[in-house]
Every structure is written in C-alpha cells, then in structure tokens.
C-alpha cells in the first residue's frame, strides 16, 4: 500500500501559498503519485479517496494554524498521459486552477481515483483514442472537441 503512504506524506511536505508567485506555489505544492500493479489491484477507491480527504483536512488545519487568510484550494486529478494521480494546493478558487487545458471541477473524487486504479497501461494512450480525434477532424474539416478532464476540488483556505 505504498500509494497510501505517499499520499499521507504530503501533509508534512512544504506548503507555499503566495498569490503573488503562483509559479512557486505550483512547484512547491504539486505532487505526482504513481502506483505499482499490486497497489492498483489491492486498493479500493474508498481507501484512496479517504486518504486524500485526510490530506485535505490536514492542509486546511495547517493553513488555519499559520493564520493565512484568503482562498486556497486543494485539488486532485488523473494525468492519463503520465499515468499518475496528481494533487496540489493553490491560493486560487476552484474555477481558476492553473491548467492550460479545459477541466471540470468536481466534488466527487471517486471517479477520478477509479480511472487511475483501473488504468491497465499507465502513461499510455491508445492509438485508437488518438486516431478517432484525427479522423474526425480530417473527415469533417473541424477541430476535434476537447473533452474536459475532471478535477476534484475542496476548499482549504480561510475564505471561500
């Protein structure tokens, strides 16, 4: 259950909340988590979700203890291209997360974790998934529609 250990260690890692320097926030507060096949097979979605919820609560408590005011969001997403779960904390509201792609904020972490645990070839995107978008744009002369990816968000700041 190495994944659960790694998730729990995030609570004690350095945390930077600086709205004036979002780059430092991202570099300091973003974590990439992989899982061995054994973990993927033996862990339940509920166990992983509970671990992330504990981390969010611990980060919320740290922010409160430091007396930091303002908005802060803890968020988790499945990076399919890297085959990883990623999480971060930023001094931004859920609708202003630092993604270049289109995302959909969600209050349900279960489907994100389920997709990660069920990924039989982490870090691989099937050619058929890519070919479908390419052939669609070639046939219709339009750009393929980019589907937003889900990001679990929870407020950890003093204000919402």
């Amino acid at each position: 259950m190495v994944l659960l250990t790694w998730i729990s260690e995030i609570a004690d890692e350095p945390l930077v909340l600086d709205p004036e320097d979002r780059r430092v926030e991202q570099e300091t507060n973003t974590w990439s988590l992989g899982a061995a096949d054994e973990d993927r097979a033996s862990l339940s979605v509920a166990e992983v979700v509970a671990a992330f919820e504990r981390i969010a609560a611990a980060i919320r408590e740290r922010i409160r203890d430091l007396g930091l005011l303002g908005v802060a969001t803890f968020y988790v997403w499945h990076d399919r291209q890297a085959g990883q779960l990623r999480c971060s904390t930023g001094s931004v509201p859920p609708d202003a997360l630092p993604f270049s792609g289109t995302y959909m904020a969600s209050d349900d972490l279960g489907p994100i974790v389920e997709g990660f645990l069920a990924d039989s070839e982490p870090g691989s995107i099937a050619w058929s998934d890519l070919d479908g978008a390419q052939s669609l744009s070639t046939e219709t002369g339009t750009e393929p529609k980019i589907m937003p990816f889900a990001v679990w968000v929870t407020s950890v700041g003093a204000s919402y």
Side-chain angles (χ1 to χ4, degrees), residues 133-150:
Q134 178 61 34
S135 63
L136 177 64
S137 70
T138 303
E139 292 169 11
T140 64
T142 61
E143 290 297 314
K145 183 177 180 181
I146 306 297
M147 297 303 294
F149 60 97

Side-chain angles (χ1 to χ4, degrees), residues 61-70 158:
E61 187 70 28
R62 282 178 68 185
I63 290 171
R64 187 176 316 138
D65 290 349
L66 292 170
L68 298 174
L69 302 176

Side-chain angles (χ1 to χ4, degrees), residues 33 37 58 71 88 101-102 105 118 125 139-140 149 158:
L33 305 162
D37 291 342
V71 173
S88 191
T102 305
I125 305 292
E139 292 169 11
T140 64
F149 60 97

Side-chain angles (χ1 to χ4, degrees), residues 3 33-46 48 78-80 83-85 109-124 129:
L3 178 62
L33 305 162
D37 291 342
E38 304 83 53
D39 266 6
R40 287 178 191 274
S42 64
L43 287 171
S44 72
V45 170
V48 178
H78 177 201
D79 183 335
R80 286 187 56 214
Q84 300 171 331
L85 278 176
L109 181 54
I112 296 167
V113 171
E114 183 176 9
F116 170 75
L117 293 176
D119 191 351
S120 62
E121 294 185 41
S124 297
D129 290 347

Side-chain angles (χ1 to χ4, degrees), residues 11-86:
D12 299 320
E13 293 295 330
L15 178 66
V16 172
L17 292 177
D18 183 355
E20 302 301 315
D21 198 344
R22 301 280 165 90
R23 183 187 57 79
V24 170
E25 277 187 0
Q26 281 184 278
E27 289 175 2
T28 305
N29 302 342
T30 302
W31 301 98
S32 301
L33 305 162
D37 291 342
E38 304 83 53
D39 266 6
R40 287 178 191 274
S42 64
L43 287 171
S44 72
V45 170
E47 288 173 304
V48 178
V49 167
F52 276 117
E53 288 173 341
R54 284 190 299 274
I55 294 311
I59 290 171
R60 187 177 299 112
E61 187 70 28
R62 282 178 68 185
I63 290 171
R64 187 176 316 138
D65 290 349
L66 292 170
L68 298 174
L69 302 176
V71 173
T73 302
F74 178 74
Y75 52 103
V76 178
W77 70 102
H78 177 201
D79 183 335
R80 286 187 56 214
Q81 290 179 323
Q84 300 171 331
L85 278 176
R86 296 194 179 183

